[in-house]
Amino acid sequence: MRIAIIGGTGDLGKGLALRWAKNHEIILGSRSAEKGAAVAQEYTQIAKQTFGNQFSGSIAGTENSQAAGRGELVVLAVPFESAMENARPLKNVLNQEQIVLSTMVPMKRIDKVFEYSPFIDIDPSGSKASILSAAEMLAKELPPASRIVSGLHTMSAKRLSDLGKPVDCDIVLCGDDSEKVNRISRLVEEIPGVKTYYAGPLRTSSLLESVTPFIINIASHSKKKEPLIKIV
Ligand SMILES: NC(=O)c1ccc[n+]([C@@H]2O[C@H](COP(=O)([O-])OP(=O)(O)OC[C@H]3O[C@@H](n4cnc5c(N)ncnc54)[C@H](OP(=O)(O)O)[C@@H]3O)[C@@H](O)[C@H]2O)c1
């Protein structure tokens, strides 16, 4: 699969790029084409050293919109605060066949407690406000909503980037188009030690996204440094 990762130079992007590059064509997106290309070179070296002759994919890097135009899958892996500013320009380059994966968790730390902080969407007349998850907000910016799959919110970038070990966690996905969700599910399950579950349509994304601050708060009161989830 050709996978564009918007914000691919960041922590989550690095882990996903390195894991998936073993078998897939990765295009890292960055606000700077030069940065994207330089980081892609660095990750290519790591992938070659780690996978040796089992490395059958590739990693390239460019500016975000260029990357998005080339991906069969476009992963949004930018901080939620800048999510829509990074997503908006992609509208003009995406076609109907492309899948968009939202990994974003809108959360804030208030008085040492992490809180889920969804988007407040005000309609153009200014008379109506709705509370939307990051994935639903993305669906508004990059319609149709059926192209959006939401998941990976509870993944650990650190564990993903540690290529010597399986990640050992479950990942819950949601989305309106079952064929698109199934494609993402198969891709995510290529990461050693990861199993996926389906939670329902895109409107369940707020439930998925809010699990991240929930488990981070638990971690801050326990000895778990990198909390992950498993459905048992
Ligand atoms: N880190 C995790 O373990 C993890 C796990 C699950 C989900 N997530 C979600 O994944 C998303 C990315 O997380 P991350 O930890 O990978 O983020 P990050 O490392 O802080 O940033 C990712 C990339 O976003 C780009 N970016 C675009 N606009 C930006 C801005 N205004 N300020 C800073 N960077 C900007 C940067 O790339 P350029 O400078 O190259 O443009 C940066 O390298 C978040 O929405 C997060 O909720 C993260």
Side-chain angles (χ1 to χ4, degrees):
M1 194 188 261
R2 261 191 332 281
I3 304 167
I5 307 177
I6 308 308
T9 57
D11 294 339
L12 184 65
K14 177 179 185 180
L16 292 176
L18 290 174
R19 295 283 184 172
W20 283 335
K22 189 174 178 188
N23 299 312
H24 301 278
E25 195 182 323
I26 308 297
I27 308 132
L28 301 179
S30 168
R31 289 167 293 179
S32 150
E34 292 74 25
K35 179 179 172 186
V39 173
Q41 274 195 0
E42 182 197 321
Y43 294 175
T44 302
Q45 289 311 316
I46 298 172
K48 279 183 178 165
Q49 277 166 14
T50 308
F51 303 127
N53 54 17
Q54 289 183 333
F55 179 38
S56 67
S58 61
I59 309 177
T62 183
E63 182 276 327
N64 283 327
S65 294
Q66 296 281 327
R70 288 163 59 191
E72 293 162 76
L73 165 64
V74 179
V75 182
L76 257 288
V78 292
F80 83 90
E81 296 91 338
S82 63
M84 300 312 143
E85 153 200 327
N86 280 282
R88 219 160 280 136
L90 310 184
K91 190 174 175 179
N92 303 323
V93 300
L94 295 179
N95 66 49
Q96 294 292 316
E97 305 306 314
Q98 289 170 285
I99 306 172
V100 174
L101 174 61
S102 174
T103 66
M104 296 172 297
V105 179
M107 65 179 182
K108 286 187 181 142
R109 191 164 185 247
I110 300 168
D111 295 334
K112 297 186 182 168
V113 174
F114 286 91
E115 293 181 11
Y116 182 53
S117 172
F119 287 80
I120 297 168
D121 182 46
I122 299 168
D123 81 343
S125 71
S127 60
K128 196 176 151 225
S130 338
I131 293 177
L132 297 179
S133 65
E136 290 170 302
M137 196 68 200
L138 197 58
K140 282 199 78 170
E141 292 292 345
L142 302 175
S146 59
R147 74 155 96 238
I148 314 286
V149 176
S150 182
L152 289 172
H153 315 97
T154 53
M155 179 51 86
S156 154
K158 201 169 160 202
R159 293 275 282 260
L160 264 184
S161 299
D162 186 356
L163 299 180
K165 291 187 191 149
V167 178
D168 193 25
C169 72
D170 292 337
I171 287 296
V172 185
L173 302 170
C174 70
D176 294 341
D177 182 322
S178 59
E179 196 224 325
K180 290 185 170 61
V181 175
N182 287 339
R183 283 189 76 187
I184 302 306
S185 169
R186 288 195 295 274
L187 183 68
V188 172
E189 290 195 351
E190 286 181 22
I191 301 168
V194 181
K195 181 169 168 47
T196 60
Y197 288 86
Y198 178 59
L202 200 68
R203 67 174 191 275
T204 63
S205 191
S206 60
L207 299 173
L208 272 58
E209 294 169 18
S210 62
V211 172
T212 302
F214 174 65
I215 59 174
I216 294 177
N217 286 328
I218 293 171
S220 70
H221 295 285
S222 71
K223 290 194 174 130
K224 297 258 180 225
K225 287 213 176 88
E226 292 169 58
L228 296 169
I229 65 157
K230 282 228 174 204
I231 313 293
V232 292

